[in-house]
Amino acid sequence: MPYESRLLVVAPEPDVRGSLTAQLSSAGYLVTSAATGAAAVRLLGEHHVDLIVVDVEIPDLQALARDRPAFADRPPVLCVTACEFLGTLVPALGAEVEDYVTKPFHGAELLARVQVLLRDRTARPAAVRHGELFLDEIVCRGRRGDRPLNLTPAEYRLLRHLMINAGQVLSKEQLAWQVWGEARGVNAVERLVSRLRHKVDETPPALIQTHRGFGYQLV
């Protein structure tokens, strides 16, 4: 049942915002709306939100991408857009962009995509584990064995992505998108990995390995 799910609709045009709000409200969702990215960020600080539906025509899209909360309070994003390729939206809004609907769209399509994203979100575990490593997704804290890891938000996101993809070699470009939702220079990724490695691999064996010319791997 959708009734406990709160959605945030962000759209600049009153007609579009009203239409999206009406369709989602009629399906039983609790809907809050905003006309700008800055207003949306304020609402995210006041309410728990399970999903953001955003019209990418809002004038301050980057404000929403840059300032919305991180970790467990950072809900997935469903874009309403005229473009037909999800990859063009990720640079604008970050890695939480999980789906989109193209204009014009039918209400049934919108509701179906919302239901899928909410179902996937509720199915996500409250913790991520890999060997001695443990991340609590509720309070956003980590530890290795019994030793707490004092992680910054960026370090937490990096470690989480490495744990979810344990065994895979991940490029610096991939890691930059997952940590910051945008491209960053090689040096920025290297510095972050170095800080994380200092905390995670303080006690042997070393878990974060470098593959020169390819990227990093959690073993």
Side-chain angles (χ1 to χ4, degrees):
M1 297 294 289
Y3 297 96
E4 295 181 355
S5 299
R6 180 181 292 276
L7 277 56
L8 173 60
V9 169
V10 190
E13 296 295 330
D15 291 345
V16 174
R17 191 166 62 252
S19 176
L20 289 169
T21 299
Q23 291 180 64
L24 295 168
S25 296
S26 66
Y29 296 106
L30 301 173
V31 183
T32 306
S33 66
T36 65
V41 170
R42 287 195 296 272
L43 290 171
L44 286 169
E46 298 170 0
H47 305 283
H48 169 79
V49 172
D50 297 291
L51 175 69
I52 302 173
V53 181
V54 57
D55 185 333
V56 298
E57 298 299 323
I58 61 172
D60 55 346
L61 189 63
Q62 288 298 329
L64 179 58
R66 182 183 62 246
D67 299 330
R68 67 186 189 278
F71 303 146
D73 293 326
R74 198 173 175 103
V77 175
L78 173 67
C79 288
V80 177
T81 175
C83 89
E84 297 184 353
F85 180 50
L86 184 61
T88 63
L89 301 174
V90 174
L93 277 170
E96 286 77 18
V97 176
E98 297 197 10
D99 204 352
Y100 66 98
V101 291
T102 55
K103 302 175 185 178
F105 58 86
H106 296 290
E109 178 187 8
L110 173 70
L111 293 175
R113 293 179 183 274
V114 166
Q115 289 168 4
V116 169
L117 290 179
L118 290 174
R119 183 185 63 210
D120 290 348
R121 182 170 176 81
T122 57
R124 292 174 183 172
V128 180
R129 294 179 175 86
H130 175 70
E132 293 182 302
L133 292 173
F134 175 87
L135 292 180
D136 188 324
E137 294 278 75
I138 304 302
V139 297
C140 304
R141 293 176 182 169
R143 67 173 187 266
R144 179 173 177 177
D146 295 329
R147 178 169 59 85
L149 300 174
N150 184 23
L151 302 173
T152 66
E155 291 165 354
Y156 183 99
R157 290 194 291 273
L158 173 60
L159 181 57
R160 183 182 188 278
H161 192 61
L162 288 170
M163 290 172 65
I164 291 174
N165 296 280
Q168 298 183 45
V169 178
L170 303 173
S171 71
K172 294 171 184 178
E173 292 77 11
Q174 288 175 301
L175 295 176
W177 281 112
Q178 289 299 322
V179 173
W180 293 292
E182 61 183 24
R184 290 287 180 104
V186 170
N187 291 340
V189 177
E190 290 177 347
R191 287 194 297 270
L192 181 61
V193 171
S194 177
R195 293 200 303 268
L196 179 63
R197 180 181 278 141
H198 179 74
K199 296 178 181 181
V200 170
D201 292 339
E202 178 181 325
T203 54
L207 301 180
I208 301 174
Q209 295 190 355
T210 301
H211 294 260
R212 295 194 180 279
F214 294 94
Y216 300 98
Q217 177 188 37
L218 184 69
V219 299

